[in-house]
Amino acid sequence: MSDTFYLRYYVGHKGRHGHEFMEVEFRPDGKLRYANNSRYKNDTMIRKEVYVSQTVLDELRRILEDSEIIQEDDSNWPEPDEQGRQELEIVQGDDHVSFATTKLGSMVQVQSSKDPEGLKNFYHLVQDVKCMALTLINAHFKVQPI
């Protein structure tokens, strides 16, 4: 079994402010990449990169394994549409999976899908991934402790 690990999460849409998105990527070498492009009020793209320890990558792997997301199938999830899209790509060992669905605004949307259990699993996992990535980025770039 390979020890390879990679995760990429993307959420975005194209609207009146152009292509707005957020992307998080954990690379095998420990590089965490974050990008946020919002043209609202003429904001510019934010890009941050940090290296995280093997312990952080191991914890992310544990979260993924506990979620059992590798066993899910997105064929019954809502297709990406004008509301936007979410993508999750994971390479873990010999497994390589990619998921794509529409932007999910609430659990009501999740519960009314054709696969509420699988989509709920995805919904909660991406919340955890975003929270972990943003916490690591914010902790690293915080100039003064609160």
Side-chain angles (χ1 to χ4, degrees):
M1 177 175 155
S2 170
D3 233 8
T4 306
F5 177 76
Y6 172 82
L7 180 141
R8 183 185 65 84
Y9 172 71
Y10 163 92
V11 60
H13 70 276
K14 292 182 174 122
R16 72 175 180 207
H17 298 291
H19 183 201
E20 297 183 295
F21 68 90
M22 183 194 75
E23 187 172 42
V24 171
E25 180 182 53
F26 286 90
R27 299 175 56 94
D29 62 356
K31 184 185 278 190
L32 164 58
R33 297 176 64 216
Y34 167 80
N36 190 330
N37 189 38
S38 173
R39 300 296 300 154
Y40 179 69
K41 294 188 178 181
N42 293 320
D43 277 350
T44 58
M45 185 180 307
I46 299 166
R47 288 189 184 273
K48 303 282 185 187
E49 291 184 356
V50 298
Y51 280 90
V52 297
S53 68
Q54 186 61 48
T55 304
V56 170
L57 291 178
D58 290 345
E59 179 62 13
L60 185 57
R61 280 181 154 191
R62 186 198 61 76
I63 291 168
L64 290 170
E65 287 168 6
D66 287 353
S67 77
E68 298 181 347
I69 194 72
I70 298 287
Q71 281 79 39
E72 298 296 345
D73 180 357
D74 65 356
S75 60
N76 287 319
W77 297 356
E79 293 288 325
D81 56 19
E82 67 279 351
Q83 296 296 313
R85 72 183 294 121
Q86 293 185 85
E87 299 172 358
L88 180 65
E89 179 181 8
I90 302 166
V91 176
Q92 190 165 1
D94 295 329
D95 295 316
H96 185 173
V97 294
S98 292
F99 302 101
T101 189
T102 189
K103 283 173 67 174
L104 300 169
S106 69
M107 281 301 290
V108 172
Q109 210 177 350
V110 170
Q111 293 300 339
S112 64
S113 75
K114 293 178 186 172
D115 179 16
E117 285 306 308
L119 198 55
K120 183 170 94 173
N121 194 7
F122 174 85
Y123 181 84
H124 288 300
L125 175 63
V126 297
Q127 296 298 326
D128 290 346
V129 169
K130 287 190 296 187
C131 184
M132 182 180 202
L134 291 172
T135 299
L136 290 164
I137 292 288
N138 287 332
H140 183 80
F141 288 100
K142 185 69 72 182
V143 176
Q144 294 181 343
I146 296 174

